[in-house]
């Protein structure tokens, strides 16, 4: 099975918090690059900068704890859903 979908979250969040703090600006940028449609950034030019500031204010020990305690669904689990669902990998 893919290590990304195992319980305990992404292997990235097994790194020491001090390393995650160093990676935080890059992680935040990557998240925001995927989070907003380009049109929303054109109509709200301060949105990205405000969101980047808010994201970088998150304590990485909290992010680490959150992602490490998630119960992740595998692709096989998702195939057994009995409700309409869109699963994006």
């Amino acid at each position: 099975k893919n290590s990304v979908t195992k319980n305990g979250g992404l292997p990235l969040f097994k790194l020491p918090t001090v390393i995650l703090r160093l990676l935080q600006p890059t992680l935040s940028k990557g998240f925001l690059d995927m989070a907003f449609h380009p049109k929303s950034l054109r109509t709200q030019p301060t949105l990205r900068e405000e969101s980047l500031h808010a994201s970088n204010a998150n304590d990485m020990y909290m992010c680490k704890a959150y992602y490490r305690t998630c119960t992740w669904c595998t692709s096989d689990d998702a195939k057994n859903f009995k409700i309409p669902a869109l699963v994006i990998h």
Side-chain angles (χ1 to χ4, degrees):
K1 291 189 178 187
N2 187 334
S3 63
V4 172
T5 58
K6 288 182 181 176
N7 291 340
L10 299 167
L12 172 73
F13 290 101
K14 292 182 170 79
L15 291 172
T17 306
V18 67
I19 301 298
L20 291 173
R21 285 187 187 124
L22 292 172
L23 294 172
Q24 187 171 13
T26 303
L27 295 171
S28 293
K29 181 187 177 307
F31 173 78
L32 292 174
D33 287 347
M34 294 183 290
F36 295 112
H37 187 277
K39 184 177 179 181
S40 65
L41 297 176
R42 285 193 301 271
T43 59
Q44 300 176 53
T46 62
L47 181 61
R48 188 177 197 292
E49 203 56 43
E50 291 168 0
S51 299
L52 185 61
H53 177 73
S55 181
N56 283 330
N58 291 326
D59 287 318
M60 289 310 286
Y61 75 90
M62 292 297 293
C63 294
K64 180 177 180 171
Y66 172 79
Y67 284 108
R68 298 237 10 233
T69 59
C70 287
T71 302
W72 296 86
C73 174
T74 66
S75 297
D76 290 335
D77 293 334
K79 291 176 187 173
N80 292 320
F81 289 165
K82 302 297 182 208
I83 58 171
L86 173 63
V87 179
I88 301 172
H89 283 265

